[in-house]
Amino acid sequence: MPGVGQAGGLPYAKGVLESHSASSVPAATAPLVSVATALEAVVTGLTRVEPEHQSSKSDSQQAVPEANPGDKLSPPQPLPAAPAIEEQMVRKAPVMQPANPEREPQAPPPSPPSRMIPPMFVVMIASELAPVAKVGGLGDVVYGLSRELEMRGNAVEIILPKYSHMRYDHVWGLTRAYENLLVPWFGGAISTSVWFGFVHGRKCFFIEPHSADNFFNRGVYYGHNDDAMRFAFFCRAAMEFLYKTGKHPDIIHCHDWQTALAPVLLWEIYQHLGMRHSRVCFTVHNFRHQGITGEHVLRATGLNRPEYYFHYDRLRDNANPRALNLMKGGIVYSNFVTTVSPRHAWEAKDDGQGHGLEPTLHIHQCKYGGVLNGLDYDQFNPEHDPHIPAHFNAASLEKKYDNKRALRHRFWLADNGKPIIAFIGRLDAQKGLELVRHAIFYALNHEAQFVLLGNSPEAGINDHFLGLKQQLNNNPDCHLEIGYHEELAHLIYAGADLLIVPSRYEPCGLTQLIALRYGTVPVVRSVGGLADTVFDKDFSDRPLHERNGYVFAHADNAGLESALHRAIRCYYDFPQHFQDLMRNGMRCDNSWNHPGQDYLNIYDFIRDK
Ligand code: ADP
């Protein structure tokens, strides 16, 4: 394959391995990788974080930039003092209110003290945005974080593909904002329209290419053979749009592999054309999907020196020397990299969940950390939710049972004294589907009802659950709904007693956060963000008033059963304790309040000052 030169391959591979072993932390002693840890490392280390390739001396000697090789970024700025950063960045777990004998709901805890951070112009580049284009949690996070940043006085714009099957009923005032944007592609250009519209108040630009490729008119968001090309085009178009419209965001925030090429394009092409002010934050929502592709993506996007990019310090995949890894490029070229919980940041770097990117995370660990996702407390609010029949809060829990009745009515379930156990999510192997299946039968055999809402892009998985649905069709204690229904999900969160999340891995997980908000007790596997947000009623080392669910360690039937058994018995035998758990969960602050501040601190740290 062109570009995989012998001269470049071996030494770089060796360099990667050496850096890896030099910076490894034994898993048993490795701390969780919070942004505080990462920033502390940067502060005690010497330099401001710039993309690796720019600060590498040997690179600058070898590399020829795409344009204006003499251009340099602005010089490093003085760093803020370490204590100030620590004070602001540490967020190990959601803050909970102390127990109060009256069990009254309390106001959310105050924001952490903040230094004066000037308002910033932030551009999100993302492949999903709730509710117009949502497959999973990514869409929720892009919407919720953007809203929080705007509420704190920042200007936020979001760039998305213009999918033909988006929910246009959630876009207000859609108009063409830029006609005939010529996006460089394979040495020529694709004429592209950019549309503007508001999505529940958020300012959004939608990229619509006019080409026979029909990149975004496919009826589904992901799952095509040319996904890498589709989203590479999206990245090039988004950057070209920023450049041609003279926008100079302080921060470009990219999400997952689909947008990972944007920082590569910024530092390799657009900074040399004058975009020297912007800095990039890259958030990995799921390490499993990395955008593994080939050289054609480089030729398409105008990154014309394959031998330069096929380099272990840049985009060359750590496992397959003939492949490019777009997510790796995003990590290498971004000024700061986050994943969506401190626990998962450690799991990905040191506990074998980085799907091959562990060496890259080690090399870049001083600009890497975990920020727990928040939940949009306006969208998921049992006091005002338009999709549920009875509104309630921690002080009026009895009204939750009207929603339970409505849920049973909707699904023709028997109206009896049993608890309802629910599962909501993508039907993906990641979610522990064999344990979900086991939980259904365990619930039905142990005096509980079960409700499932989920779907999969894979026909085989859907068929399996449709078969199960048929098998259980006449059971008055069970309903499986195969499909995607935003509104129905709200009714289930509000009406169920328990929500099961038995994931094999879970970078953050939103369903347990939504459940907590609706007084539905989560039963989760101790992994990723689940471990950071759910604390076991019986075994957590937290104070009683902070315990909010049931947690099991091993991804097997025995582990699941032990937690479900305790939950069901508590529901029947100690209803008062069960209600305490519900209220403890409702009192957690999992809003965007804290993560919003965390991201602002990161932006402030990396921005061009
Ligand atoms: P992931 O991002 O891995 O899909 P998360 O737990 O982070 O998982 O986020 C899932 C989000 O998608 C939640 O808001 C959940 O309510 C929603 N969701 C998942 N599947 C469905 C479905 N079939 N119908 C409605 N909402 C769904």
Side-chain angles (χ1 to χ4, degrees):
M1 177 180 288
V4 189
Q6 279 242 317
L10 192 54
Y12 290 129
K14 189 164 171 280
V16 167
L17 290 174
E18 280 168 354
S19 317
H20 183 190
S21 53
S23 59
S24 284
V25 182
T29 56
L32 299 193
V33 188
S34 68
V35 283
T37 319
L39 282 181
E40 196 182 347
V42 176
V43 171
T44 48
L46 303 166
T47 60
R48 180 161 180 227
V49 183
E50 296 295 352
E52 165 95 352
H53 69 288
Q54 293 176 14
S55 56
S56 153
K57 196 172 172 202
S58 59
D59 283 354
S60 61
Q61 284 164 348
Q62 291 174 5
V64 185
E66 301 294 329
N68 299 346
D71 283 345
K72 291 245 166 49
L73 289 175
S74 46
Q77 302 291 309
L79 292 164
I85 284 185
E86 278 218 306
E87 188 185 355
Q88 296 197 34
M89 300 303 297
V90 172
R91 181 175 182 240
K92 293 195 172 83
V95 178
M96 304 186 60
Q97 294 288 342
N100 137 354
E102 311 288 83
R103 298 290 183 201
E104 287 297 323
Q106 298 182 6
S111 307
S114 61
R115 249 177 321 130
M116 277 305 290
I117 296 178
M120 282 176 262
F121 175 24
V122 180
V123 169
M124 299 272 171
I125 305 182
S127 57
E128 292 182 37
L129 177 74
V132 275
K134 171 175 161 181
V135 175
L138 169 61
D140 289 318
V141 170
V142 175
Y143 181 86
L145 176 58
S146 302
R147 180 174 179 272
E148 178 71 22
L149 294 171
E150 275 198 69
M151 285 187 348
R152 288 168 180 258
N154 301 282
V156 181
E157 295 178 359
I158 305 168
I159 305 183
L160 297 154
K162 187 169 182 290
Y163 301 105
S164 57
H165 64 294
M166 279 191 317
R167 289 196 56 176
Y168 284 93
D169 53 326
H170 287 279
V171 188
W172 186 82
L174 190 63
T175 44
R176 256 181 237 262
Y178 198 114
E179 202 49 276
N180 200 24
L181 176 74
L182 294 176
V183 179
W185 195 243
F186 279 116
I190 294 182
S191 168
T192 298
S193 301
V194 183
W195 296 72
F196 175 81
F198 288 96
V199 173
H200 295 260
R202 308 284 75 75
K203 298 185 190 75
C204 298
F205 291 96
F206 300 95
I207 303 284
E208 181 189 37
H210 303 292
S211 89
D213 294 309
N214 274 327
F215 282 139
F216 306 122
N217 301 347
R218 307 286 181 88
V220 290
Y221 295 101
Y222 314 122
H224 287 273
N225 288 337
D226 63 344
D227 275 1
M229 290 296 267
R230 295 168 67 213
F231 290 103
F233 174 82
F234 172 55
C235 291
R236 182 79 214 227
M239 292 307 299
E240 188 70 14
F241 174 63
L242 292 179
Y243 170 61
K244 285 280 169 57
T245 51
K247 291 179 189 282
H248 291 279
D250 298 295
I251 300 295
I252 299 175
H253 194 154
C254 298
H255 299 265
D256 270 350
W257 75 263
Q258 292 88 347
T259 58
L261 215 48
V264 183
L265 292 164
L266 174 69
W267 296 118
E268 294 291 358
I269 296 179
Y270 288 96
Q271 73 151 322
H272 304 298
L273 300 175
M275 283 185 69
R276 294 193 199 92
H277 174 69
S278 301
R279 298 291 180 270
V280 184
C281 178
F282 178 54
T283 296
V284 178
H285 297 254
N286 195 330
F287 278 98
R288 186 168 132 227
H289 306 287
Q290 299 181 357
I292 305 298
T293 184
E295 189 203 331
H296 55 291
V297 165
L298 299 176
R299 275 187 286 117
T301 51
L303 296 167
N304 289 324
R305 290 169 296 142
E307 69 289 349
Y308 175 76
Y309 297 104
F310 264 104
H311 184 307
Y312 281 111
D313 285 351
R314 297 189 184 89
L315 275 75
R316 192 176 196 172
D317 187 60
N318 295 338
N320 179 356
R322 296 161 65 87
L324 286 175
N325 184 320
L326 299 184
M327 180 171 278
K328 177 174 172 179
I331 294 170
V332 170
Y333 279 79
S334 294
N335 300 84
F336 208 92
V337 181
T338 67
T339 187
V340 289
S341 67
R343 171 73 70 111
H344 193 62
W346 168 74
E347 289 170 344
K349 185 165 76 73
D350 291 306
D351 198 37
Q353 292 192 35
H355 295 269
L357 284 174
E358 291 85 351
T360 310
L361 294 176
H362 269 271
I363 290 168
H364 295 277
Q365 63 183 329
C366 65
K367 59 169 188 179
Y368 169 66
V371 178
L372 208 50
N373 279 340
L375 189 66
D376 185 336
Y377 267 27
D378 251 27
Q379 193 196 349
F380 295 102
N381 183 351
E383 290 185 274
H384 303 291
D385 191 328
H387 306 304
I388 63 175
H391 296 140
F392 63 100
N393 58 32
S396 57
L397 268 188
E398 67 287 349
K399 294 199 193 129
K400 179 174 165 71
Y401 297 102
D402 293 339
N403 295 306
K404 185 171 179 178
R405 268 187 289 281
L407 178 60
R408 283 179 163 154
H409 185 71
R410 173 85 182 249
F411 285 159
W412 303 288
L413 295 180
D415 202 359
N416 51 32
K418 296 181 180 179
I420 299 180
I421 303 174
F423 172 85
I424 299 178
R426 290 180 297 116
L427 297 178
D428 184 289
Q430 170 198 339
K431 302 290 177 187
L433 296 183
E434 65 295 337
L435 290 181
V436 172
R437 185 191 156 93
H438 187 73
I440 296 173
F441 290 100
Y442 185 84
L444 298 180
N445 290 329
H446 292 82
E447 299 175 75
Q449 298 185 320
F450 200 98
V451 163
L452 175 144
L453 171 62
N455 69 339
S456 165
E458 286 177 46
I461 296 182
N462 273 343
D463 290 347
H464 175 81
F465 279 89
L466 282 168
L468 210 53
K469 180 184 167 88
Q470 265 186 343
Q471 182 187 337
L472 296 167
N473 213 20
N474 295 327
N475 191 316
D477 285 331
C478 184
H479 184 88
L480 311 184
E481 186 77 21
I482 313 303
Y484 187 93
H485 300 287
E486 189 77 41
E487 293 79 10
L488 192 52
H490 286 239
L491 180 61
I492 297 175
Y493 286 120
D497 298 288
L498 293 155
L499 182 101
I500 179 129
V501 196
S503 303
R504 284 188 194 169
Y505 73 95
E506 193 62 76
C508 178
L510 290 182
T511 60
Q512 85 281 11
L513 302 185
I514 306 171
L516 289 168
R517 179 89 166 130
Y518 284 78
T520 300
V521 176
V523 180
V524 308
R525 184 156 171 255
S526 174
V527 69
L530 300 171
D532 283 338
T533 54
V534 181
F535 311 109
D536 190 89
K537 172 182 176 293
D538 302 311
F539 300 117
S540 169
D541 54 9
R542 295 198 162 226
L544 281 180
H545 66 270
E546 293 188 8
R547 302 183 190 182
N548 55 12
Y550 292 90
V551 180
F552 61 99
H554 297 291
D556 55 27
N557 291 349
L560 175 90
E561 287 180 16
S562 74
L564 269 184
H565 171 76
R566 289 187 293 125
I568 294 172
R569 286 331 313 165
C570 183
Y571 177 88
Y572 279 114
D573 303 338
F574 303 100
Q576 203 53 48
H577 291 188
F578 195 85
Q579 288 209 347
D580 286 346
L581 271 188
M582 295 163 74
R583 290 199 187 91
N584 287 353
M586 293 183 87
R587 269 196 292 267
C588 295
D589 180 10
N590 288 308
S591 71
W592 275 104
N593 185 24
H594 293 279
Q597 186 63 48
D598 288 347
Y599 275 113
L600 276 180
N601 290 338
I602 291 170
Y603 296 168
D604 184 46
F605 180 67
I606 62 175
R607 78 188 159 86
D608 179 24
K609 300 188 189 81

